[in-house]
Amino acid sequence: MDNLPLYQCIVCANELTATPVGQWACPHCGRYYPSIEGIGVFIPGAAVSIQGYVQEMAEVQAGLAQMADNLRAFQAQFPDSEFSERIGAALKGIGKNTGVLERPYQPIIEFLQDHPVQADLLAWSMIKTGTTFHDMLPYFYQDWSGTPDFEKVAAQLGKTVHEHCDDRQAVAVLGAGACGLLHSVAKHFVVAYGVDLSLPTLLAAKTLMAGEALEFHLPEANWRQVTLTPPEQEAGNIHFLTANVNNLPFKDASLSVVVTQYMLDIVSNPLGLAKEIRRILKPGGRWINFSKPFRVATDPPELGMRNLAELPPLFNTLGFDVIELENQRFTYLNMEKAYPEADSINQLVHYFVLRKNNPHPDGANLKDVSRFFEPNDAVWQEIPRLVQGRALTFTTGKSFDGKGGVNECLQVSVMGHIFSIPADFSRLLETVFAAVDGQRDLREIFQIQRPIFGLDEQPFLKLMYILNVLHYLLEFHR
């Protein structure tokens, strides 16, 4: 384990220390953050919250099992159909991928067996990314199979580092995912950090980079088998962190460069992310971005995403100078090499390089998350309000099986992003949002939900942290 020169507690912002049993501890507030297979889990209440990954695995397994059942039923009804060959390939791929899926979740299951905790209604939401490890398999293919588009991006990033980044001490790649870009940029720096909220995805990427091949089947490529070989040389300077990018465990002014890939268009609060990046960058540090166009919650939704000319004023306001800014085209998840009939999407991408503007006020405590976790009276007097432009829509989908059966699927959507959601968590959110009227304070809303769901003060404030810092659905006023 490294000596943690850059890490701080994500609740109280004090320096963390390494423990003999491989955890990170905060001497100030007493919180600890576990390490699973060498990957730090910097999530509030991590030992409890990682239950959400097991729930995620069960949901994916159930989906794959249902898909297999449907295909077998079709094959039984039409044994000589023109789809027989493809059904066979799909069933083989589903079986293989089910096994591949279990591998990175196993260390998490073993951790929970060694550190048993009670079930937590909020665990699912604390780690929810919208993208499971199984969803990430096409990205592993994109990053590690030598696709031309990825190689082009990696080369451009290296060129940018060479031209614009004199300080090459420490880099963090946010939304590291399959970690191909992390591996390519790490060679330019003394130390590199790969940050992602999906612990199973980081575990799989770490295993691949350590020398173990990854073999799976690509649904998007007609379930063709793919074998990804490890890189020729393992990058020994890489550290992996599980964290939400809106609340990072890096100290103020500790990083030379931050890289975001396919991040700004999906993160809940782009302005909050920009402020967090500015906080962790050294004076004059660089922010390199490769992401689809995005919009801020308060932008007119009728105009869609921001165009290139509308970005510099925003960045200047946030304390950044623009070094480089351009539109690029990227063929997203190009799998033609694996399957000639695979579809591909040519996307517009904003590529920019920003410099932290030193005269801009730093605002080290841009968000005081400690109030959600440490006892205090003031937080209960805060009045929550819905974030303008981030209205949450609840949808119940129904499907009929033709035999009198009805299947229901609960979903929430916000700014075009749709997520499936557990029924009990959906009911909790509906109760909370119905009580938010711009007049009631947190104490009053707490009292409304308590006879229904029974959340005590600590888990209720944890929910407020989730809705404010992680998902940016509520903001608070005194």
Side-chain angles (χ1 to χ4, degrees):
M1 181 180 295
D2 58 2
N3 59 4
L4 312 179
L6 303 180
Y7 299 161
Q8 67 177 28
C9 177
I10 58 174
V11 171
C12 71
N14 283 277
E15 185 171 347
L16 297 178
T17 59
T19 70
V21 293
Q23 300 173 345
W24 290 268
C26 178
H28 178 79
C29 71
R31 288 177 172 80
Y32 79 92
Y33 304 94
S35 172
I36 298 179
E37 299 283 303
I39 299 178
V41 184
F42 295 96
I43 302 172
V48 175
S49 296
I50 61 174
Q51 296 176 77
Y53 294 118
V54 179
Q55 183 178 352
E56 171 188 270
M57 181 186 71
E59 292 172 354
V60 176
Q61 286 177 326
L64 290 173
Q66 184 62 59
M67 184 186 301
D69 288 344
N70 294 342
L71 290 172
R72 290 191 188 98
F74 185 94
Q75 184 73 350
Q77 186 175 2
F78 306 102
D80 298 319
S81 77
E82 64 270 34
F83 302 111
S84 295
E85 184 177 345
R86 288 179 61 192
I87 288 174
L91 290 173
K92 179 181 178 181
I94 290 170
K96 176 69 176 180
N97 284 8
T98 300
V100 172
L101 172 70
E102 294 172 353
R103 176 71 185 275
Y105 287 91
Q106 191 57 39
I108 302 172
I109 294 172
E110 292 173 357
F111 177 88
L112 289 171
Q113 291 172 343
D114 293 338
H115 305 81
V117 293
Q118 292 184 339
D120 184 0
L121 172 64
L122 305 179
W124 172 89
S125 185
M126 189 65 80
I127 59 91
K128 184 64 176 176
T129 65
T131 305
T132 68
F133 166 61
H134 192 262
D135 296 329
M136 288 299 298
L137 291 179
Y139 297 86
F140 276 88
Y141 173 80
Q142 175 181 267
D143 283 16
W144 295 100
S145 68
T147 58
D149 293 271
F150 175 81
E151 297 297 334
K152 177 183 175 182
V153 173
Q156 180 167 14
L157 185 59
K159 181 174 180 289
T160 297
V161 170
H162 178 74
E163 293 178 351
H164 298 299
C165 304
D166 295 329
D167 180 358
R168 302 181 192 175
Q169 177 64 33
V171 62
V173 178
L174 307 186
C179 293
L181 204 60
L182 169 67
H183 184 268
S184 71
V185 76
K187 61 188 176 185
H188 302 290
F189 292 85
V190 176
V191 61
Y193 299 88
V195 182
D196 204 281
L197 190 53
S198 176
L199 175 57
T201 299
L202 289 181
L203 285 165
K206 186 172 185 286
T207 299
L208 176 64
M209 281 191 272
E212 185 174 326
L214 178 61
E215 186 176 286
F216 56 90
H217 290 248
L218 276 171
E220 297 81 359
N222 200 30
W223 293 95
R224 296 291 174 87
Q225 180 175 308
V226 171
T227 301
L228 302 180
T229 57
E232 294 182 0
Q233 185 173 3
E234 181 181 359
N237 63 334
I238 292 179
H239 302 275
F240 301 87
L241 291 73
T242 300
N244 191 294
V245 295
N246 294 301
N247 189 15
L248 292 164
F250 297 110
K251 292 182 180 179
D252 295 356
S254 59
L255 296 175
S256 314
V257 176
V258 169
V259 178
T260 49
Q261 59 168 346
Y262 273 81
M263 173 67 63
L264 285 175
D265 62 304
I266 62 172
V267 74
S268 61
N269 184 5
L271 297 187
L273 173 60
K275 293 174 183 178
E276 183 74 341
I277 289 173
R278 191 179 193 285
R279 178 186 70 80
I280 62 179
L281 278 176
K282 296 178 182 179
R286 304 300 200 260
W287 174 12
I288 305 172
N289 173 77
F290 183 85
S291 298
K292 290 172 59 180
F294 68 97
R295 72 178 180 91
V296 178
T298 54
D299 292 348
E302 297 80 4
L303 298 181
M305 305 302 171
R306 287 194 172 222
N307 61 39
L308 212 61
E310 294 163 344
L311 297 181
L314 178 66
F315 294 145
N316 291 336
T317 301
L318 293 168
F320 291 96
D321 296 327
V322 176
I323 297 176
E324 186 178 331
L325 178 64
E326 63 181 75
N327 283 324
Q328 293 189 2
R329 290 284 176 180
F330 180 73
T331 305
Y332 179 68
L333 298 181
N334 187 351
M335 301 181 196
E336 284 186 76
K337 190 168 68 172
Y339 179 56
E341 293 186 57
D343 195 11
S344 61
I345 303 173
N346 187 259
Q347 293 183 335
L348 176 68
V349 173
H350 285 163
Y351 187 86
F352 62 69
V353 184
L354 307 182
R355 176 177 54 240
K356 179 177 176 177
N357 187 332
N358 298 338
H360 191 277
D362 213 17
N365 294 317
L366 291 166
K367 58 179 188 315
D368 178 17
V369 302
S370 64
R371 73 191 197 280
F372 295 118
F373 297 96
E374 298 181 348
N376 66 95
D377 295 327
V379 68
W380 294 104
Q381 300 172 18
E382 295 188 31
I383 298 174
R385 296 176 183 170
L386 301 181
V387 174
Q388 180 183 351
R390 284 188 61 79
L392 191 65
T393 303
F394 293 82
T395 305
T396 300
K398 293 185 178 182
S399 62
F400 304 89
D401 62 8
K403 301 177 183 178
V406 180
N407 296 315
E408 291 192 356
C409 176
L410 298 175
Q411 294 181 325
V412 294
S413 62
V414 56
M415 290 183 70
H417 300 291
I418 301 174
F419 305 94
S420 296
I421 183 171
D424 51 358
F425 191 70
S426 175
R427 290 192 294 270
L428 174 60
L429 288 187
E430 289 183 44
T431 301
V432 169
F433 280 96
V436 174
D437 61 359
Q439 301 296 322
R440 294 187 179 98
D441 61 22
L442 276 186
R443 176 62 67 184
E444 293 174 292
I445 297 175
F446 167 74
Q447 292 170 343
I448 289 173
Q449 67 78 33
R450 191 165 191 184
I452 305 172
F453 297 97
L455 287 187
D456 293 331
E457 290 186 354
Q458 186 175 357
F460 179 79
L461 289 179
K462 181 179 177 181
L463 174 63
M464 294 302 104
Y465 165 82
I466 291 170
L467 297 179
N468 173 235
V469 178
L470 302 191
H471 299 301
Y472 194 52
L473 296 169
L474 295 179
E475 52 190 6
F476 296 88
H477 304 269
R478 290 184 172 90

